[in-house]
Amino acid sequence: QSVLTQPPSASGTPGQRVTISCSGSSSNIGSNYVYWYQQLPGTAPKLLIYRNNQRPSGVPDRFSGSKSGTSASLAISGLRSEDEADYYCAAWDDSLSADVVFGGGTKLTVL
Amino acid sequence: QVQLVQSGAEVKKPGASVKVSCKASGYTFTSYDINWVRQATGQGLEWMGWMNPNSGNTGYAQKFQGRVTMTRNTSISTAYMELSSLRSEDTAVYYCARGALLQAWFDPWGQGTLVTVSS
């Protein structure tokens, strides 16, 4: 069971806007930055959003991130077929174990 | 460009150890941490720990403490992750990723190394 909670699946049609949620606690999302990763089938994960809402160069502005309290969200607007992938949220956790924690991942299907 | 290239697939017997390498290029190896993350088939991402290539300091996830060792050779810009006392549940793809201290920032990732534990 993952420390950060994500819905296991999400879907949308081309052009739609979809959001993926990520719920945590005061020791992780509540006190640290949230990061989002995209994993296309058969490939390594790729950084999609850093420090809650920043996009690395090369990531389309269709992707956006937000954080409020102990929850975060990833929004994808103008959905495209190539967005079909697994998406993971992650954050540092300040608890005794001092770990990086991931969400369980959300499989996005473009219908 | 910044790149991490990992060693090839491994097949190990239960109880054995495996050592995976991760060669960095395109940046100053000692300026960023190297993290290790693994992913069992069809499962999510699991963080294993970090290593600072400059100091050699490490931090391991509680689950792996006592079984994992992260080291480096700065002369060839290469990081290593050794996992001992392997069991079938350790069968997974192991990724290295460039990171920063106390953050979940990983960029880029290596291509992954499949480790299969089977008798």
Side-chain angles (χ1 to χ4, degrees), chain A residues 39-66:
Chain A
Q39 187 175 32
L40 298 170
T43 70
K46 167 193 160 185
L47 179 65
L48 196 64
I49 297 288
Y50 67 98
R51 291 192 174 189
N52 302 334
N53 55 19
Q54 303 298 303
R55 282 186 310 277
S57 60
V59 173
D61 59 7
R62 301 186 296 105
F63 294 90
S64 62
S66 64

Short mmCIF file of all heavy atoms in Angstrom, two decimals, chain A residues 39-66:
data_model
loop_
_atom_site.label_atom_id
_atom_site.label_comp_id
_atom_site.label_asym_id
_atom_site.label_seq_id
_atom_site.Cartn_x
_atom_site.Cartn_y
_atom_site.Cartn_z
N GLN A 39 5.21 7.74 -17.12
CA GLN A 39 5.88 6.54 -17.58
C GLN A 39 5.11 5.96 -18.76
O GLN A 39 4.04 5.36 -18.59
CB GLN A 39 6.02 5.50 -16.47
CG GLN A 39 6.85 4.30 -16.88
CD GLN A 39 7.10 3.32 -15.74
OE1 GLN A 39 6.27 3.15 -14.85
NE2 GLN A 39 8.27 2.67 -15.75
N LEU A 40 5.64 6.14 -19.94
CA LEU A 40 5.07 5.55 -21.14
C LEU A 40 5.34 4.05 -21.13
O LEU A 40 6.31 3.60 -20.51
CB LEU A 40 5.66 6.20 -22.38
CG LEU A 40 5.38 7.71 -22.52
CD1 LEU A 40 6.22 8.30 -23.65
CD2 LEU A 40 3.90 7.96 -22.76
N PRO A 41 4.50 3.27 -21.80
CA PRO A 41 4.66 1.81 -21.77
C PRO A 41 6.06 1.36 -22.18
O PRO A 41 6.60 1.79 -23.19
CB PRO A 41 3.62 1.33 -22.79
CG PRO A 41 2.57 2.40 -22.76
CD PRO A 41 3.31 3.69 -22.56
N GLY A 42 6.67 0.54 -21.33
CA GLY A 42 7.97 -0.04 -21.64
C GLY A 42 9.15 0.90 -21.52
O GLY A 42 10.25 0.56 -21.97
N THR A 43 8.95 2.06 -20.91
CA THR A 43 10.05 3.02 -20.79
C THR A 43 10.26 3.43 -19.33
O THR A 43 9.43 3.15 -18.46
CB THR A 43 9.80 4.29 -21.61
OG1 THR A 43 8.72 5.03 -21.02
CG2 THR A 43 9.43 3.94 -23.06
N ALA A 44 11.37 4.12 -19.09
CA ALA A 44 11.66 4.63 -17.76
C ALA A 44 10.78 5.85 -17.47
O ALA A 44 10.35 6.55 -18.39
CB ALA A 44 13.13 5.02 -17.65
N PRO A 45 10.50 6.11 -16.21
CA PRO A 45 9.73 7.32 -15.87
C PRO A 45 10.47 8.58 -16.32
O PRO A 45 11.70 8.59 -16.46
CB PRO A 45 9.63 7.24 -14.34
CG PRO A 45 9.81 5.81 -14.01
CD PRO A 45 10.79 5.30 -15.02
N LYS A 46 9.67 9.64 -16.51
CA LYS A 46 10.21 10.92 -16.95
C LYS A 46 9.60 12.01 -16.07
O LYS A 46 8.40 11.98 -15.77
CB LYS A 46 9.85 11.16 -18.41
CG LYS A 46 10.07 12.56 -18.93
CD LYS A 46 9.38 12.75 -20.28
CE LYS A 46 9.15 14.20 -20.61
NZ LYS A 46 8.39 14.39 -21.84
N LEU A 47 10.44 12.96 -15.65
CA LEU A 47 9.95 14.06 -14.83
C LEU A 47 8.99 14.92 -15.62
O LEU A 47 9.32 15.41 -16.71
CB LEU A 47 11.14 14.91 -14.35
CG LEU A 47 10.80 16.12 -13.49
CD1 LEU A 47 10.19 15.70 -12.15
CD2 LEU A 47 12.04 16.98 -13.27
N LEU A 48 7.80 15.14 -15.06
CA LEU A 48 6.76 15.90 -15.76
C LEU A 48 6.50 17.25 -15.08
O LEU A 48 6.33 18.25 -15.75
CB LEU A 48 5.47 15.07 -15.75
CG LEU A 48 4.37 15.45 -16.70
CD1 LEU A 48 4.80 15.30 -18.15
CD2 LEU A 48 3.13 14.60 -16.42
N ILE A 49 6.45 17.25 -13.76
CA ILE A 49 6.21 18.45 -12.96
C ILE A 49 7.14 18.42 -11.76
O ILE A 49 7.26 17.37 -11.11
CB ILE A 49 4.75 18.55 -12.47
CG1 ILE A 49 3.76 18.65 -13.62
CG2 ILE A 49 4.57 19.70 -11.48
CD1 ILE A 49 3.79 19.99 -14.35
N TYR A 50 7.78 19.54 -11.44
CA TYR A 50 8.61 19.60 -10.25
C TYR A 50 8.20 20.79 -9.39
O TYR A 50 7.59 21.75 -9.87
CB TYR A 50 10.10 19.65 -10.61
CG TYR A 50 10.57 20.91 -11.30
CD1 TYR A 50 11.17 21.94 -10.59
CD2 TYR A 50 10.43 21.06 -12.68
CE1 TYR A 50 11.61 23.08 -11.22
CE2 TYR A 50 10.87 22.20 -13.32
CZ TYR A 50 11.46 23.21 -12.59
OH TYR A 50 11.89 24.36 -13.22
N ARG A 51 8.52 20.71 -8.12
CA ARG A 51 8.17 21.76 -7.15
C ARG A 51 6.72 22.18 -7.29
O ARG A 51 6.41 23.36 -7.45
CB ARG A 51 9.12 22.94 -7.30
CG ARG A 51 10.52 22.61 -6.86
CD ARG A 51 11.39 23.84 -6.71
NE ARG A 51 12.69 23.50 -6.16
CZ ARG A 51 13.60 24.38 -5.76
NH1 ARG A 51 13.35 25.67 -5.83
NH2 ARG A 51 14.76 23.97 -5.27
N ASN A 52 5.84 21.23 -7.26
CA ASN A 52 4.38 21.40 -7.24
C ASN A 52 3.78 21.77 -8.60
O ASN A 52 2.75 21.20 -8.99
CB ASN A 52 3.94 22.47 -6.24
CG ASN A 52 4.39 22.19 -4.83
OD1 ASN A 52 4.61 21.04 -4.45
ND2 ASN A 52 4.54 23.24 -4.04
N ASN A 53 4.38 22.75 -9.29
CA ASN A 53 3.71 23.29 -10.48
C ASN A 53 4.65 23.78 -11.58
O ASN A 53 4.22 24.50 -12.47
CB ASN A 53 2.80 24.45 -10.06
CG ASN A 53 3.54 25.52 -9.28
OD1 ASN A 53 4.77 25.61 -9.34
ND2 ASN A 53 2.81 26.33 -8.53
N GLN A 54 5.92 23.38 -11.51
CA GLN A 54 6.88 23.81 -12.52
C GLN A 54 7.08 22.74 -13.58
O GLN A 54 7.18 21.55 -13.26
CB GLN A 54 8.22 24.14 -11.84
CG GLN A 54 8.12 25.20 -10.76
CD GLN A 54 7.63 26.51 -11.29
OE1 GLN A 54 8.22 27.09 -12.21
NE2 GLN A 54 6.52 27.00 -10.74
N ARG A 55 7.16 23.16 -14.83
CA ARG A 55 7.38 22.24 -15.94
C ARG A 55 8.82 22.30 -16.41
O ARG A 55 9.33 23.39 -16.69
CB ARG A 55 6.47 22.58 -17.13
CG ARG A 55 5.05 22.15 -17.01
CD ARG A 55 4.30 22.43 -18.32
NE ARG A 55 4.52 23.80 -18.79
CZ ARG A 55 3.84 24.84 -18.36
NH1 ARG A 55 2.87 24.65 -17.46
NH2 ARG A 55 4.08 26.05 -18.83
N PRO A 56 9.49 21.14 -16.52
CA PRO A 56 10.83 21.14 -17.13
C PRO A 56 10.71 21.58 -18.59
O PRO A 56 9.64 21.46 -19.19
CB PRO A 56 11.26 19.67 -17.04
CG PRO A 56 10.38 19.06 -16.00
CD PRO A 56 9.08 19.81 -16.07
N SER A 57 11.81 22.07 -19.13
CA SER A 57 11.79 22.46 -20.54
C SER A 57 11.45 21.24 -21.39
O SER A 57 11.93 20.13 -21.12
CB SER A 57 13.13 23.04 -20.95
OG SER A 57 14.15 22.08 -20.77
N GLY A 58 10.62 21.45 -22.36
CA GLY A 58 10.22 20.37 -23.25
C GLY A 58 8.88 19.74 -22.89
O GLY A 58 8.29 19.02 -23.71
N VAL A 59 8.40 19.99 -21.69
CA VAL A 59 7.08 19.47 -21.29
C VAL A 59 6.02 20.47 -21.74
O VAL A 59 6.07 21.65 -21.38
CB VAL A 59 7.00 19.25 -19.77
CG1 VAL A 59 5.58 18.86 -19.35
CG2 VAL A 59 7.99 18.15 -19.34
N PRO A 60 5.04 20.01 -22.52
CA PRO A 60 4.02 20.94 -23.04
C PRO A 60 3.23 21.60 -21.91
O PRO A 60 3.04 21.01 -20.84
CB PRO A 60 3.11 20.02 -23.87
CG PRO A 60 3.93 18.81 -24.16
CD PRO A 60 4.86 18.64 -23.01
N ASP A 61 2.76 22.82 -22.18
CA ASP A 61 2.00 23.53 -21.16
C ASP A 61 0.59 22.97 -20.99
O ASP A 61 -0.20 23.49 -20.21
CB ASP A 61 1.96 25.03 -21.45
CG ASP A 61 1.33 25.36 -22.80
OD1 ASP A 61 0.82 24.43 -23.45
OD2 ASP A 61 1.38 26.53 -23.21
N ARG A 62 0.28 21.89 -21.70
CA ARG A 62 -0.98 21.18 -21.46
C ARG A 62 -0.96 20.48 -20.09
O ARG A 62 -2.02 20.13 -19.56
CB ARG A 62 -1.21 20.12 -22.54
CG ARG A 62 -1.26 20.65 -23.95
CD ARG A 62 -1.64 19.58 -24.96
NE ARG A 62 -0.66 18.49 -25.06
CZ ARG A 62 -0.85 17.29 -24.56
NH1 ARG A 62 -1.96 17.00 -23.88
NH2 ARG A 62 0.07 16.35 -24.73
N PHE A 63 0.24 20.28 -19.58
CA PHE A 63 0.39 19.63 -18.29
C PHE A 63 0.59 20.69 -17.20
O PHE A 63 1.41 21.59 -17.35
CB PHE A 63 1.61 18.69 -18.28
CG PHE A 63 1.47 17.52 -19.21
CD1 PHE A 63 1.89 17.60 -20.53
CD2 PHE A 63 0.91 16.33 -18.76
CE1 PHE A 63 1.76 16.52 -21.39
CE2 PHE A 63 0.77 15.25 -19.61
CZ PHE A 63 1.20 15.34 -20.93
N SER A 64 -0.18 20.59 -16.12
CA SER A 64 -0.03 21.54 -15.03
C SER A 64 -0.22 20.84 -13.70
O SER A 64 -0.95 19.83 -13.60
CB SER A 64 -1.03 22.70 -15.16
OG SER A 64 -2.35 22.21 -15.10
N GLY A 65 0.43 21.36 -12.67
CA GLY A 65 0.34 20.78 -11.35
C GLY A 65 -0.09 21.81 -10.33
O GLY A 65 0.17 23.01 -10.49
N SER A 66 -0.74 21.34 -9.27
CA SER A 66 -1.15 22.22 -8.18
C SER A 66 -1.10 21.45 -6.87
O SER A 66 -1.07 20.23 -6.85
CB SER A 66 -2.55 22.77 -8.42
OG SER A 66 -3.50 21.71 -8.41
#
